[in-house]
Amino acid sequence: MGQGAVIFMAKWIKRVLLGIGGLAVIAAIAAFIYREPLERLYRVNTLFSAERIVSNFSNMRSMFLADDIARSGPVFEFGEARQALPETFAFNGQTLETAAFLERTKTTSLLVIRNDQIEFEDYFLGTAPEDQRISWSIAKSFLSALIGIAIDEGAIADLNDPVTKYAPGLKGSAYDGATLRQVAMMSSGVEFNEDYLDFNSDINKMGRALALGGSLDEFSAALSGKAGEPGENWRYVSIDTHVLGMALRGATGQSVSDYMASKLWSKIGVEADAYYTTDGEGAAFVLGGLNMRTRDYARFGRLFLNDGNWDGEQVISKSWVRESTSDLAPPPAPTFERGEHYGYQWWLPPAHDDEFYGIGVYGQYLFIDRKAGVVVVKTSADRAFRENDGIVQLETIAMMRAIARP
């Protein structure tokens, strides 16, 4: 190689090294700027890992942005009438042992309230009464209550109004043409992949957008696929609940956290603040980001057990409580047939008898039996919740029915 070629090669290598150095500096700056969202993304990707899931479900604030829901007023104290759980319960012709079932489903807390008395309360897997446990989709039932309050107050004129009346940013999206009622009963017709075990599903794309500080309003407005016509079939579509939250914010002019604090959380004698995880614009993750103590879930259940009345104050109209917990949804799409029923963001069990419940992924339950005067709260970190076609949901309801009506 001649001297000229050597000089040329030396200059080329120098340029490459300078280029690499420049890229390294840029990468270092980017890593510093985006450190927090990248850390949140990592935590989201390990959110359900076996070694982290129990702790994560009590510490969601460490992984996501959050907005507090302040408590106020005197605390409502439950009485005490402790007794043991039924040792067994029946399901599909089998007899299941209650203690073994609680262990198998990775229960973190179980609370049974009967006629305002604590009948059973225990905490498992290192959790404690003070833990603010993630609701996942039980949050949907709380939002349903807030929608009912907004209707009671006239902020929302009619459940048959189009969602775009209150959330105009959805015009031109898959939600254009759907009514609030259709969205509330999960018959919006919007195409949305809800498979938590599919990395590329819509629900997981939404979770990553949340972790990186994106806008869930923009995420919702970008949805264009239709699985059917509005009102045609029931399909469980979690993003429907975010759209209800958009409508609530548009109707009231308040954040969901502030509206909940003033209209609900300050009314039911809760013992601690709650909080929503939020997106990068501060919008509450209303479809699954509510966090609170186990006893405060039960206090909300007591409100619905008593038809929206809290010791003489009608916090939510009885008509909304009764309607929202009724079997309202249209027939399910064929792939969604399971035997349960649906109201406005509340579930009803097969052959329901004045019973209804909220449910969250990985085994969160708020079960209410009006006839028995019972509220049951079960929080869990059950990574096997989808096995055998999710039959554990029906097993859990069978256990709660055995507790409520022994």
Side-chain angles (χ1 to χ4, degrees):
M1 183 180 294
Q3 185 178 8
V6 171
I7 294 172
F8 172 80
M9 183 63 72
K11 289 181 177 178
W12 181 82
I13 291 172
K14 182 178 180 181
R15 290 192 185 102
V16 170
L17 291 174
L18 286 172
I20 292 172
L23 289 173
V25 170
I26 293 170
I29 293 171
F32 177 78
I33 294 173
Y34 295 107
R35 178 177 56 84
E36 287 190 11
L38 288 172
E39 286 179 353
R40 288 198 300 270
L41 182 60
Y42 169 75
R43 293 185 187 118
V44 167
N45 286 337
T46 59
L47 180 57
F48 308 116
S49 62
E51 67 276 11
R52 294 173 180 265
I53 186 170
V54 173
S55 175
N56 284 346
F57 281 14
S58 288
N59 295 282
M60 298 299 288
R61 186 189 292 274
S62 70
M63 288 169 281
F64 296 94
L65 302 171
D67 193 13
D68 288 329
I69 304 166
R71 69 157 306 278
S72 61
V75 175
F76 174 82
E77 299 288 358
F78 293 108
E80 300 271 346
R82 305 273 179 160
Q83 60 179 280
L85 297 171
E87 291 186 0
T88 62
F89 63 96
F91 178 74
N92 275 1
Q94 298 178 311
T95 299
L96 303 180
E97 293 185 3
T98 304
F101 179 75
L102 294 176
E103 182 178 0
R104 168 163 66 88
T105 57
K106 301 297 185 290
T107 305
T108 50
S109 71
L110 184 70
L111 174 62
V112 180
I113 305 293
R114 186 186 302 273
N115 299 324
D116 288 344
Q117 305 288 308
I118 296 176
E119 192 168 275
F120 182 89
E121 183 179 26
D122 206 352
Y123 298 83
F124 310 87
L125 301 179
T127 64
E130 295 76 26
D131 284 10
Q132 291 177 300
R133 299 290 300 176
I134 179 70
S135 66
W136 295 120
S137 288
I138 296 176
K140 295 177 169 71
S141 302
F142 281 81
L143 188 70
S144 174
L146 298 180
I147 292 289
I149 292 170
I151 291 172
D152 292 341
E153 294 185 333
I156 294 175
D158 194 319
L159 207 57
N160 293 315
D161 285 341
V163 291
T164 52
K165 176 179 177 180
Y166 305 99
L170 294 170
K171 290 179 179 178
S173 76
Y175 283 96
D176 204 344
T179 66
L180 286 171
R181 188 184 306 277
Q182 290 162 343
V183 176
M185 65 175 64
M186 297 241 178
S187 63
S188 66
V190 170
E191 181 69 52
F192 191 82
N193 182 347
E194 192 88 5
D195 187 353
Y196 287 85
L197 305 182
D198 177 358
F199 181 81
N200 292 314
S201 68
D202 292 313
I203 195 75
N204 284 328
K205 289 178 182 176
M206 182 191 67
R208 291 191 289 275
L210 187 71
L212 290 171
S215 166
L216 294 186
D217 287 4
E218 292 179 3
F219 185 93
S220 303
L223 294 173
S224 58
K226 299 293 288 291
E229 292 302 312
E232 181 180 25
N233 287 114
W234 177 84
R235 291 180 176 85
Y236 192 78
V237 175
S238 280
I239 202 68
D240 280 1
T241 311
H242 181 77
V243 166
L244 286 179
M246 291 174 69
L248 182 67
R249 284 185 274 123
T252 64
Q254 297 183 53
S255 72
V256 176
S257 298
D258 287 347
Y259 194 71
M260 181 168 168
S262 64
K263 303 298 182 180
L264 180 62
W265 211 236
S266 59
K267 307 287 187 180
I268 60 173
V270 296
E271 63 186 53
D273 293 351
Y275 69 90
Y276 274 112
T277 56
T278 74
D279 69 8
E281 296 185 345
F285 186 48
V286 293
L287 62 92
L290 191 55
N291 299 259
M292 67 185 68
R293 294 184 181 183
T294 296
R295 287 193 182 187
D296 285 340
Y297 284 112
R299 290 179 173 95
F300 177 70
R302 179 185 186 262
L303 177 68
F304 268 71
L305 180 69
N306 293 322
D307 286 327
N309 189 283
W310 191 270
D311 294 344
E313 180 181 1
Q314 199 68 41
V315 178
I316 313 170
S317 65
K318 179 178 179 179
S319 60
W320 177 261
V321 171
R322 289 286 174 159
E323 183 178 355
S324 63
T325 58
S326 298
D327 182 2
L328 299 170
T335 55
F336 286 78
E337 183 62 66
R338 274 285 304 271
E340 302 97 322
H341 306 272
Y342 206 71
Y344 299 146
Q345 311 283 294
W346 286 96
W347 293 81
L348 295 87
H352 50 88
D353 182 20
D354 227 1
E355 310 149 287
F356 54 98
Y357 61 99
I359 182 173
V361 70
Y362 293 89
Q364 325 314 315
Y365 292 85
L366 173 60
F367 177 83
I368 299 160
D369 184 333
R370 285 197 188 98
K371 285 188 176 180
V374 167
V375 176
V376 183
V377 182
K378 181 183 188 291
T379 64
S380 316
D382 184 11
R383 298 173 73 242
F385 75 104
R386 294 292 293 272
E387 290 182 0
N388 298 320
D389 197 29
I391 199 70
V392 68
Q393 178 172 336
L394 297 179
E395 289 177 319
T396 304
I397 295 305
M399 181 196 71
M400 292 182 171
R401 283 174 149 175
I403 291 171
R405 305 185 193 184

